[in-house]
Amino acid sequence: MIKRIIALAILVPLGIILIMLSVANRTAVTLALNPFDPADTVLSLTLPFFVFLFAALIIGMIIGSLATWFKQGKYRQTARINANEAVKWHSEADKQKAKAQEIAAALPAPNKRNAA
């Protein structure tokens, strides 16, 4: 419940700010991809400015997420190796427990002595 309240407390103001940003930046701008001839319409894109802002935000989030994912790869690999080793040792412990129960069942019953 608290997690939901915190998420709402962050996401609602962020959404309001993004809406205000998009309303304030509705003017069409041209992104020229040809540095030698900016007037070239083949390599240019004309869209509202907020589209470019949101595209930059989304691309930045994707690049940041990928960088984090690649950087944490060694930790995921270590966790995988440790999990496989834990499974191996658990199965070995189960085998040894079954073997001990089998040996205990094969032993003769202990003598009962009466305490005088």
Side-chain angles (χ1 to χ4, degrees):
M1 182 69 181
I2 293 176
K3 203 177 208 183
R4 183 177 290 172
I5 292 171
I6 292 173
L8 284 175
I10 292 172
L11 292 177
V12 169
L14 184 64
I16 292 170
I17 290 170
L18 288 176
I19 290 170
M20 288 172 33
L21 184 69
S22 63
V23 168
N25 293 298
R26 291 179 296 175
T27 307
V29 293
T30 302
L31 175 67
L33 298 174
N34 187 353
F36 302 112
D37 186 15
D40 185 14
T41 59
V42 175
L43 294 175
S44 65
L45 188 61
T46 302
L47 291 171
F49 185 61
F50 72 90
V51 173
F52 293 119
L53 290 175
F54 288 162
L57 179 71
I58 291 170
I59 290 170
M61 289 175 62
I62 290 171
I63 290 172
S65 298
L66 288 174
T68 302
W69 187 75
F70 282 121
K71 188 168 177 90
Q72 293 175 350
K74 60 184 174 183
Y75 300 112
R76 286 192 308 275
Q77 181 181 13
T78 303
R80 244 187 335 268
I81 291 170
N82 289 341
N84 290 338
E85 190 172 335
V87 168
K88 180 182 84 170
W89 285 114
H90 279 289
S91 64
E92 181 66 26
D94 290 340
K95 287 179 192 174
Q96 293 299 326
K97 186 186 288 186
K99 194 176 194 181
Q101 288 174 349
E102 184 180 304
I103 291 172
L107 290 175
N111 293 335
K112 292 189 178 183
R113 292 187 187 179
N114 290 336

